[in-house]
Amino acid sequence: MHPNPIPSLAIFCKVVDNYGDIGICWRLARQLRGEHRVAVSLWVDDLRSFRRICPTVDPDAGEQDIDGVLVRHWRDQEGAFVPQEVADIVIEFFAVDIPPGYVAAMAQRHPRPVWFNLEGLTAEEWVEGCHRLPSMHPRLKLTKHFFFPGFTAKTGGLLHEAGLEQARTAFQADRDAMAGFLSGFGVTAQEMDALKVSLFCYPHAPVPALLRAWSEGGRPVTCLVPEGVAAEAVTGFIGAPATAGSHATRGALTLRVLPFVPQPDYDRLLWACDLNFVRGEDSFVRAQWAGRPFVWHIYPQDENLHHKKLRAFLGRYLGMDGGLDAWAAFSLGWNGAIDIASMPSAWQELQAALPRIAVRAEAWHREVLAHGDLTTNLLEFARELGAGQENPV
């Protein structure tokens, strides 16, 4: 029950990282609508990227209803709006510039909307001091608040839908269900018995060296990679264009190219694999909810600022556990923060540590979830900010 539901909310999303930005915003929009009865408008500038993770999207539609969410094609910054078009809560994702006409209408609306800048995820300590801080508009009577996802009680938490944990544990406890799901991608019973790895990374990852280490190793590996990811390395391994359905076996490695799948199926892929290579923010968070070992490829930034963010996360994740040094070293090498002198050796050390990493993955899962989920935390803060206004949110 929601005794004081929020009538309307608008999310403004510009797709920068191909699928991560829209992936986060689409999960947020669906949870707001499905669990909290919020009327959500999702403004997106790149509907074709959106369609890769949500096949029902019409990339040519100006407006469309998808799962109860009003998806609007955000074409430009022009146009005028009236106050009645402004939502009760306005979210700009990762500091995008909302159309000036919309901002002007926000200032004319009574009561004024609650305005959030939903920031990117980082484990750095400074976010705890900036989470929920206000920022006054330089000209208009509007206040924006920063909302940071994070891993501690002093941040907004992470996106996590109700029922996700029950679905995950039931799926992972049912080997037949996992085998049936993976068989849809062509995975055979023999490949199911191998070490199953999903691979999602940026183009500069040292994929060729890792594929060689797997193919020349002593343990069978089944690698599942979405179409378009590490395309050059995958094409080189297969010996043909890396399109969905392509596959090849070289030595101990069988590699299969998967189509991009809807978000619920990507979750199941992470749940079904023994190790997940993920990138950016959306798949990074979902890998943590999978309770499986993972290696994160962080989005690259100028002056290697992403290495600082990576080390902050590794330090928080490791805590006092010195038994995960191989995982930390491999993660740093995968991201170019240190040199991997020998990929076969680095892989062997990581592989040997997987059982211990799996134990830590489950413990970390519980620790982070104890802080609540981002969507609920954000709505609670919105209600605090709306208290005392006419028709409070």
Side-chain angles (χ1 to χ4, degrees):
M1 295 293 292
H2 303 279
N4 188 24
I6 299 172
S8 61
L9 182 148
I11 303 172
F12 287 83
C13 172
K14 286 195 173 182
V15 179
V16 177
D17 180 20
N18 293 313
Y19 314 110
D21 310 273
I22 183 56
I24 295 165
C25 291
W26 181 229
R27 290 189 194 278
L28 174 62
R30 291 203 337 263
Q31 189 178 4
L32 285 163
R33 179 59 181 164
E35 296 180 21
H36 299 276
R37 298 186 298 167
V38 177
V40 181
S41 295
L42 175 58
W43 296 77
V44 186
D45 68 330
D46 183 354
L47 293 178
R48 297 194 181 277
S49 290
F50 189 4
R51 188 179 187 180
R52 296 293 297 276
I53 63 170
C54 182
T56 56
V57 169
D58 179 353
D60 299 316
E63 292 186 358
Q64 54 194 303
D65 184 290
I66 304 175
D67 294 345
V69 174
L70 179 60
V71 176
R72 293 178 168 175
H73 190 184
W74 182 10
R75 290 187 171 88
D76 52 45
Q77 295 288 90
E78 303 300 325
F81 294 83
V82 297
Q84 291 82 356
E85 295 179 273
V86 174
D88 297 295
I89 294 180
V90 178
I91 298 175
E92 58 182 47
F93 180 71
F94 209 34
V96 301
D97 292 324
I98 295 177
Y102 196 94
V103 176
M106 288 167 61
Q108 298 168 5
R109 185 186 189 273
H110 296 286
R112 294 184 179 87
V114 174
W115 185 8
F116 289 127
N117 175 16
L118 179 56
E119 279 285 357
L121 175 62
T122 179
E124 295 168 291
E125 292 185 4
W126 63 265
V127 302
E128 294 184 343
C130 296
H131 178 55
R132 298 175 39 138
L133 281 183
S135 175
M136 302 292 292
H137 192 280
R139 294 180 295 100
L140 304 173
K141 291 184 178 180
L142 288 171
T143 300
K144 174 167 54 180
H145 286 81
F146 293 94
F147 199 88
F148 282 85
F151 307 99
T152 73
K154 295 181 180 179
T155 65
L158 302 177
L159 285 172
H160 186 284
E161 301 85 0
L164 181 65
E165 184 61 11
Q166 293 88 336
R168 193 266 299 192
T169 53
F171 184 81
Q172 290 180 335
D174 189 342
R175 181 175 173 81
D176 290 340
M178 289 193 290
F181 172 75
L182 291 179
S183 69
F185 302 115
V187 176
T188 66
Q190 183 178 5
E191 293 164 11
M192 269 293 296
D193 291 334
L195 182 74
K196 297 176 293 297
V197 182
S198 73
L199 178 62
F200 190 41
C201 60
Y202 295 111
H204 59 282
V207 175
L210 182 59
L211 296 183
R212 284 195 300 272
W214 283 341
S215 63
E216 297 170 1
R219 181 176 182 181
V221 174
T222 299
C223 177
L224 307 173
V225 54
E227 183 179 21
V229 174
E232 185 175 347
V234 173
T235 295
F237 180 84
I238 293 176
T243 56
S246 301
H247 62 93
T249 299
R250 302 280 186 273
L253 171 61
T254 296
L255 185 149
R256 290 188 174 274
V257 180
L258 276 53
F260 265 76
V261 295
Q263 287 180 329
D265 281 344
Y266 183 68
D267 282 335
R268 293 184 187 96
L269 176 65
L270 297 176
W271 300 347
C273 287
D274 305 299
L275 172 64
N276 294 300
F277 285 76
V278 290
R279 78 181 198 190
E281 182 174 329
D282 182 55
S283 61
F284 170 50
V285 171
R286 306 313 286 193
Q288 292 172 64
W289 296 143
R292 302 290 203 200
F294 64 90
V295 175
W296 180 31
H297 202 200
I298 188 170
Y299 187 77
Q301 293 181 292
D302 293 337
E303 301 179 356
N304 288 326
L305 291 178
H306 57 297
H307 290 165
K308 182 179 179 181
K309 293 183 177 181
L310 174 64
R311 292 180 188 275
F313 173 74
L314 293 177
R316 194 175 293 280
Y317 191 92
L318 289 170
M320 301 300 293
D321 192 340
L324 303 182
D325 291 345
W327 172 75
F330 191 98
S331 298
L332 291 167
W334 186 248
N335 284 275
I338 62 174
D339 290 331
I340 297 180
S342 169
M343 179 61 79
S345 297
W347 166 246
Q348 289 299 324
E349 292 173 3
L350 176 62
Q351 181 178 271
L354 287 179
R356 185 160 187 168
I357 300 170
V359 173
R360 178 58 184 145
E362 286 288 0
W364 172 260
H365 180 288
R366 294 190 296 270
E367 291 171 19
V368 177
L369 192 55
H371 306 310
D373 73 278
L374 183 144
T375 303
T376 301
N377 291 339
L378 185 144
L379 291 180
E380 289 177 353
F381 185 39
R383 292 187 179 101
E384 291 178 25
L385 295 173
Q389 293 185 3
E390 178 187 354
N391 300 321
V393 299

